[in-house]
Amino acid sequence: TSEDYVFITSKEGMHLTKMGANAWLVVAAMIIEILVVLKHGRGMFEAPWPKRVLWFWGAFATIIGVWLTRWHLRTRGAVKAKKP
């Protein structure tokens, strides 16, 4: 939604900007969708995951986690530097 864009690209930084009602609705819908899949998806996929798929998602999650941590630390430092 446009509120997500405003929240992420705000000049004040994400730490000082509030999320709008539509953004919270999107987050709530995603959480409910995940919970429904977890509840009703048990037993649908009996075969174990291929190793290459596990390696790909593990590497992807690691790269995203490291990038988000660096980005958070960098933006957090920029917000602290701007405060008088």
Side-chain angles (χ1 to χ4, degrees):
T1 63
S2 62
E3 291 175 355
D4 295 325
Y5 178 78
V6 170
F7 178 72
I8 292 170
T9 60
S10 172
K11 291 181 181 180
E12 295 144 358
M14 287 175 45
H15 303 289
L16 303 175
T17 307
K18 294 182 180 179
M19 285 179 61
N22 288 336
W24 285 113
L25 185 63
V26 168
V27 171
M30 288 190 297
I31 290 172
I32 290 172
E33 184 70 27
I34 290 169
L35 292 175
V36 167
V37 168
L38 290 175
K39 180 178 180 181
H40 298 293
R42 295 194 193 278
M44 290 183 84
F45 305 104
E46 298 293 329
W49 287 25
K51 293 283 186 194
R52 66 175 188 254
V53 172
L54 291 174
W55 278 104
F56 169 78
W57 283 112
F60 181 76
T62 302
I63 290 168
I64 293 296
V66 168
W67 181 79
L68 284 173
T69 302
R70 290 185 65 222
W71 174 77
H72 174 71
L73 293 173
R74 192 171 358 132
T75 57
R76 186 175 170 196
V79 169
K80 284 185 178 180
K82 287 183 181 180
K83 289 184 180 180

